[in-house]
Amino acid sequence: MLKTLTPQEPTLDEKTLARALSGVHLIGGEFVPATSGGTFAVVNPATGIEIARAAEGDASDVDVAVRDANRAQKEWAKLSSRKRGQMVSQCAALIRTHVEEIARLIALETGKALRTESRVEANSVADILEFFGGLGSEIKGESVPFAPNVLSVTVREPLGVVGAIIPWNVPLLLMTLKIAPALVAGNTVVVKSAEEAPLTVLRICELINRVLPPGCFNILSGFGPECGAPLVEHPLVRKLTFTGSVPVGRIVAKAAAEKLIPVTLELGGKSPMIVFADCDFDKTVAGALTSMRFTRQGQSCTAASRIYVERPIYDRFVAAMADKVDAMVMGDPLDEATDIGTIISDDQMARVKGFIAEGLATAGATGRACSAMPSDPALAAGKFIQPHIFTNLPPESRLVTEEIFGPVTCIFPFDSADAVLAAANDSEYGLAASVWTNNLKIGLEFAHRLEAGLVQINQNLVVQANLSYGGVKSSGLGKEASLESMLEHFTHKKTIMMNYA
Ligand code: NAI
Ligand code: MG
């Protein structure tokens, strides 16, 4: 049992829980303050009020955590993979009993609406742990024909300590995609949480530490250069996995190259949604709202931030979509009536507003602001931004080429399949894409020719357990969420030959 002031039972008092999680990392199964004693503020983005302090980690905290994880890994790897999987499944069951608590805490911390986003994300943690927990027995190799009287087999072995760096947009889901397969495969993990969202991941780490041996799953909070960089550079870290921006992805990849260790990168996108005139109109308009992840304020790497609509239905589609976004309710993330919550931070507010201002100032372009700002005075300092739908932007506009990571989408008409395919593929990114049509031939042809790691026809879901997820081009390296991701990215294959002649 951890020595902790946090509640042992699930709680629905998210503010008290946030305070109880203040000022600590979780290393070697214990809550510990930063070696420096430093802390930084965690702010509720819906009110601007400080809700907790987080431990400000640096290289000395990283060193303690990695050494603990390294010690723990030797014992953890001795358990059968099936046993490890069973324990990860127990973690899933424990998380399941805390879903509502976790949902309220992540809504408080990130401003994502409880009903549309936070509860879904909390459930996904249990789902993913459950999925990977069931795969323990799949960590197996092959027998390989070589020569008479030689038995040649492969076995899958863990890599050692995994260093994981996560972002703030879907921190619970994105963290679980890394820790669950890493742990089942026999690795131990040190996570550096995102400075904007350190609390809920810490609570999840605490719950998981009630089941797993100490040191298997450690979490540090802190800033990128001070805490993230020493983690990726630490000599005992034998695998890196990162989700975030392209520039930081390059830093992580360079550190991996220096140490000659494997790295997985998930780096965002500029995902096209292509709508043909023969689509199911109402379903596709609704699909555009979910594709753009408006309920997550567009803070998603798979957001459909470029929407191409075949000319005959273009005007009607833009109008119908704007009307539907108008009907979405922006407000208190913890209110069940709310569809759209807040942007995460002042930095992201400034970034997104900069894009919107640039779009509005672009000659000939139109930007329609949808949905009403919340009127509750308690939310006056909240980081709310109205969703914006832009039309008539030139293709070279930064709004069309760069990841905005906010509730902003650009819509274009198209006249030919070849032209829209070329426009869709004209991007440095290649994470996800969707095609909406009742013509099977067109849908499948586009599925093959779109440059993306994930293409969906007539739907646009977020990442799902069991389906390999990961981009091409600048969107990253490697896959997550699947059996393949666990085997390829969290184990190495050893060949063993036995001569019995
Ligand atoms: P970021 O890439 O700076 O941060 C992601 C994580 O990397 C955080 O935990 C951060 O502390 C860490 N980090 C930062 N610098 C580091 C360094 N030198 N060494 C090691 N770790 C470091 O992303 P940020 O600043 O939060 O957002 C900026 C933009 O990045 C967003 O507007 C969006 O376009 C993109 N982004 C994409 C995400 C995705 O899901 N692919 C997630 C978050 C951001
Ligand atoms: Mg950054």
Side-chain angles (χ1 to χ4, degrees):
M1 190 69 71
L2 298 173
K3 284 187 207 122
T4 162
L5 298 174
T6 52
Q8 292 300 302
E9 296 298 318
T11 172
L12 297 183
D13 179 357
E14 64 282 348
K15 290 196 176 115
T16 304
L17 180 58
R19 280 193 297 276
L21 290 163
S22 272
V24 284
H25 306 305
L26 204 160
I27 300 175
E30 303 280 344
F31 282 119
V32 292
T35 321
S36 69
T39 61
F40 61 93
V42 185
V43 172
N44 174 357
T47 60
I49 294 171
E50 180 175 314
I51 49 168
R53 309 281 305 171
E56 189 172 341
D58 61 22
S60 50
D61 302 296
V62 167
D63 191 52
V64 175
V66 172
R67 285 179 192 286
D68 256 28
N70 192 50
R71 267 191 299 277
Q73 200 266 331
K74 311 289 178 241
E75 296 306 311
W76 181 238
K78 285 181 190 160
L79 297 178
S80 72
S81 55
R82 186 154 180 195
K83 176 68 188 164
R84 290 194 300 263
Q86 281 166 352
M87 292 174 81
V88 168
S89 298
Q90 281 171 35
C91 297
L94 184 60
I95 297 287
R96 196 72 81 187
T97 63
H98 287 70
V99 158
E100 202 55 26
E101 166 195 298
I102 290 166
R104 294 190 71 83
L105 187 61
I106 194 70
L108 178 75
E109 181 177 35
T110 64
K112 289 191 297 181
L114 185 62
R115 189 191 86 252
T116 55
E117 287 289 331
S118 293
R119 199 173 279 129
V120 180
E121 187 180 2
N123 271 301
S124 77
V125 175
D127 290 344
I128 293 161
L129 288 166
E130 206 169 74
F131 169 73
F132 282 106
L135 294 180
S137 302
E138 294 302 318
I139 303 188
K140 61 194 181 190
E142 307 110 358
S143 72
V144 186
F146 175 66
N149 302 324
V150 177
L151 176 67
S152 180
V153 296
T154 60
V155 293
R156 294 268 179 188
E157 295 190 345
L159 300 171
V161 177
V162 173
I165 298 194
I166 56 170
W168 43 263
N169 58 328
V170 225
L172 315 181
L173 168 73
L174 298 174
M175 178 176 79
T176 312
L177 290 178
K178 300 181 188 316
I179 61 156
L183 289 165
V184 173
N187 308 280
T188 53
V189 191
V190 178
V191 172
K192 205 293 280 174
S193 57
E195 45 272 52
E196 298 83 355
L199 300 175
T200 317
V201 288
L202 178 62
R203 178 64 163 171
I204 287 172
C205 184
E206 178 194 356
L207 295 172
I208 290 179
N209 268 271
R210 288 191 199 160
V211 179
L212 303 190
C216 288
F217 175 16
N218 310 276
I219 197 160
L220 304 167
S221 46
F223 295 96
E226 293 76 17
C227 190
L231 177 61
V232 300
E233 286 161 13
H234 198 289
L236 290 175
V237 170
R238 304 311 302 157
K239 155 83 195 184
L240 295 173
T241 171
F242 171 78
T243 301
S245 64
V246 174
V248 178
R250 289 206 171 93
I251 293 174
V252 174
K254 280 182 191 150
E258 275 304 320
K259 298 200 298 183
L260 296 173
I261 62 168
V263 58
T264 308
L265 302 171
E266 205 272 87
L267 305 178
K270 193 74 192 174
S271 300
M273 169 175 183
I274 298 164
V275 179
F276 283 92
D278 73 338
C279 70
D280 179 333
F281 187 85
D282 292 340
K283 181 180 158 190
T284 308
V285 171
L289 269 62
T290 46
S291 295
M292 187 43 221
R293 320 289 187 232
F294 278 122
T295 55
R296 198 183 291 161
Q297 298 74 257
Q299 301 171 131
S300 165
C301 40
T302 54
S305 48
R306 298 182 289 150
I307 303 180
Y308 299 92
V309 182
E310 206 171 6
R311 183 132 3 226
I313 63 165
Y314 173 77
D315 288 334
R316 192 158 70 95
F317 192 92
V318 174
M321 187 175 162
D323 285 351
K324 254 190 141 50
V325 183
D326 261 339
M328 296 176 86
V329 177
M330 256 204 287
D332 179 358
L334 284 159
D335 185 337
E336 296 283 349
T338 297
D339 297 308
I340 302 179
T342 70
I343 300 294
I344 187 77
S345 66
D346 291 332
D347 280 357
Q348 288 298 116
M349 280 286 275
R351 208 182 119 87
V352 175
K353 282 184 168 172
F355 277 107
I356 292 173
E358 197 171 313
L360 294 174
T362 302
T366 310
R368 174 163 165 190
C370 302
S371 181
M373 290 290 274
S375 53
D376 182 349
L379 304 175
K383 302 179 206 308
F384 293 94
I385 292 187
Q386 280 180 286
H388 276 69
I389 297 177
F390 279 93
T391 48
N392 295 320
L393 279 168
E396 65 279 6
S397 161
R398 253 177 10 107
L399 280 79
V400 185
T401 59
E402 292 185 22
E403 182 172 53
I404 298 175
F405 233 61
V408 180
T409 195
C410 323
I411 312 193
F412 307 89
F414 72 85
D415 297 300
S416 85
D418 283 342
V420 75
L421 188 67
N425 284 339
D426 182 18
S427 170
E428 69 158 315
Y429 290 108
L431 187 59
S434 66
V435 191
W436 302 72
T437 175
N438 279 311
N439 183 328
L440 189 63
K441 184 175 178 306
I442 287 270
L444 285 176
E445 192 178 325
F446 269 64
H448 286 293
R449 292 176 62 193
L450 281 163
E451 294 165 3
L454 170 65
V455 182
Q456 300 182 61
I457 301 173
N458 295 331
Q459 65 170 28
N460 200 346
L461 306 177
V462 297
V463 53
Q464 303 288 319
N466 199 29
L467 302 176
S468 277
Y469 172 72
V472 296
K473 303 202 268 186
S474 293
S475 290
L477 283 178
K479 299 290 172 191
E480 298 197 299
S482 59
L483 172 61
E484 171 202 7
S485 78
M486 178 169 72
L487 296 178
E488 296 302 316
H489 300 312
F490 292 109
T491 74
H492 75 90
K493 208 187 232 188
K494 178 186 275 178
T495 300
I496 300 175
M497 298 166 94
M498 184 175 72
N499 188 318
Y500 55 92

